[in-house]
Amino acid sequence: MGELLRSTTAFFAFALTLAASFTGCAYGATITKSDNDVCVLKLEGEIIAGDFARFMQLAAAEFKGVDGESSSADTICLNSPGGSVLEGVNLAKQFYKQGVGTVIPAGAECHSMCAIMFMMGIAQGPEVNFVNRRLHVTGTLGFHRPYLALDSDELVSARALPVAHDWAMEAMMELMILANSQVPWSASTMMRPDLIQLMLTHVGNDFYYIDTVEKAGRFEIELFGYDRPTELTAERSYYACENSFHWKVGLIGKDTDYANLVQSLGAYQPVSKVVQDKGGLTIYSVTSGDAGYSEAGCLIGQKDDYFLGCGFNGMYNISLGLSQCTLADFYERSQWVSPLAAFKPSTPIRMLAAHAPRWTESMTAGSGACVVIAPTGTVEQEPCEARPISARNGSGDDIGGYEFIWPSGSKTVLLKDGTNLTLNGKPAYAVPLASYTLCVVNGETGNRFCFNKGS
């Protein structure tokens, strides 16, 4: 009987755990004053009972509240595998109620219950209220559904199961209430229904990751740590139009590719063309790929370093700005367009990292060592020569890069097109490694190619 009681007690102690990688740690998350400039507080480690009280105590001392406009300066950095659902729900509720912004900083990971907490980041004010959650492009954000966890293989009383089931249902109800919290001044919710659905279809260590431009845009997650496009081009205006429509509908799942579209249509059927370039305002007329039986298109413009847009998509009956517009009423009918929308939607967000190498002679040209590091840790290193090269992208624009010539005569070709990198024709992204002049990861193989210039 004593063993049964002990196993039942253990069951209840761990019955409602939502963790990415359960550590079994006896200590709660570390909540301290932040040592970086992107947030005021930071939370690190597994979330357990008592963390909410620790947060409230520190928040009372460090948060300033509304600064006259909003509480946007009150932010917390998250780096946690998850943990207790009930404790995490209390924290998430408080973030939403108090107006606490959430941040996943560079290199940090936020899984499971931490991901729910992140999504509740918001700013409150007497006249302005808005979503306030930021993910660094090198950070990790992963969702999965709650699960029951035991810390042993001991038998559990059958009488405990209905109670645990009720607890689990209550936890799910709390999560649904949180997820359906209203985005201020909007018909949207803090977690869109399709994100909830995707979360519930991923179990255990199978996470749904926010890892592409399309996912971040669809689920209203602000990215930082990347070079924002400041010059509007035909390609960027096309993506800005398509993304602005599609992110209102859901994940489209098709590979929207401007270069392939231009090649298939030919030069006499431009999908994006300049219709005005004067007075500091450049405007492109864009025909959406959804056009056909229904009208679908935009006017996308650039004023200074920000983008604007207006248009209508009849396939989904949705508008950008105040719907259809002309050059004459563009300012009155357009709205601000996120710089993220100017990227190809399938672009992995890590490829946007602002650590991309600077293409200058002084940095990379000349003799040195080429290194290939496989995901298994295997290292291949040989002397090589780096030479600057030029090429053209699918739109016919000049782009630059380097070829690295190995002793055998074979070449590794690295090209940079705007903020996009390719390594031997495959998508790649730059990573900062102090011991190398530059280092990039092949997005398909996971191999790291690095170059270290000789002295």
Side-chain angles (χ1 to χ4, degrees), residues 144-348:
H144 70 176
R145 78 181 183 209
Y147 65 91
L148 297 176
L150 292 172
D151 65 338
S152 75
D153 294 328
E154 296 177 7
L155 295 175
V156 177
S157 168
R159 295 179 180 178
L161 293 176
V163 178
H165 176 269
D166 288 344
W167 282 9
M169 293 301 294
E170 182 180 347
M172 285 303 302
M173 180 182 69
E174 291 282 1
L175 290 178
M176 293 302 103
I177 292 172
L178 267 177
N180 283 289
S181 299
Q182 201 74 18
V183 172
W185 300 348
S186 167
S188 184
T189 54
M190 294 298 286
M191 289 181 64
R192 292 185 181 272
D194 45 339
L195 178 56
I196 298 172
Q197 179 181 341
L198 289 162
M199 177 186 77
L200 295 178
T201 57
H202 288 71
V203 186
N205 289 325
D206 174 29
F207 288 94
Y208 180 75
Y209 290 105
I210 304 302
D211 53 9
T212 66
V213 165
E214 180 185 35
K215 293 178 183 179
R218 165 59 184 165
F219 302 128
E220 299 177 274
I221 296 168
E222 181 184 353
L223 300 182
F224 70 106
Y226 70 99
D227 293 323
R228 300 190 175 197
T230 56
E231 181 181 354
L232 195 61
T233 63
E235 180 175 0
R236 287 172 176 167
S237 62
Y238 176 76
Y239 287 136
C241 178
E242 294 288 59
N243 288 331
S244 295
F245 287 143
H246 293 162
W247 291 351
K248 295 181 180 181
V249 178
L251 299 177
I252 301 301
K254 65 180 181 181
D255 188 19
T256 303
D257 190 296
Y258 174 77
N260 289 343
L261 183 62
V262 169
Q263 187 174 8
S264 65
L265 293 177
Y268 296 103
Q269 299 184 60
V271 295
S272 181
K273 60 182 179 180
V274 176
V275 291
Q276 177 176 310
D277 188 8
K278 62 181 181 180
L281 178 63
T282 302
I283 300 177
Y284 284 80
S285 175
V286 180
T287 302
S288 168
D290 297 325
Y293 292 109
S294 301
E295 182 178 352
C298 311
L299 289 181
I300 302 293
Q302 177 181 1
K303 178 67 174 175
D304 298 325
D305 61 349
Y306 63 91
F307 303 152
L308 299 165
C310 48
F312 177 73
N313 187 314
M315 175 175 284
Y316 301 107
N317 193 29
I318 52 176
S319 298
L320 172 62
L322 297 179
S323 193
Q324 295 165 315
C325 57
T326 65
L327 294 179
D329 60 10
F330 178 77
Y331 267 130
E332 291 75 20
R333 300 187 66 82
S334 62
Q335 71 174 51
W336 176 82
V337 174
S338 167
L340 188 65
F343 290 102
K344 183 178 178 180
S346 61
T347 304

Side-chain angles (χ1 to χ4, degrees), residues 27 34 40 46 69 101 116 131 155 157-158 161 255 262 265 288 298 334 367 385 388 408 420 425 436 454:
Y27 303 100
S34 175
V40 177
E46 182 196 345
E69 222 173 83
I116 306 294
V131 171
L155 295 175
S157 168
L161 293 176
D255 188 19
V262 169
L265 293 177
S288 168
C298 311
S334 62
S367 301
E385 184 81 14
S408 64
N420 295 325
Y436 296 102

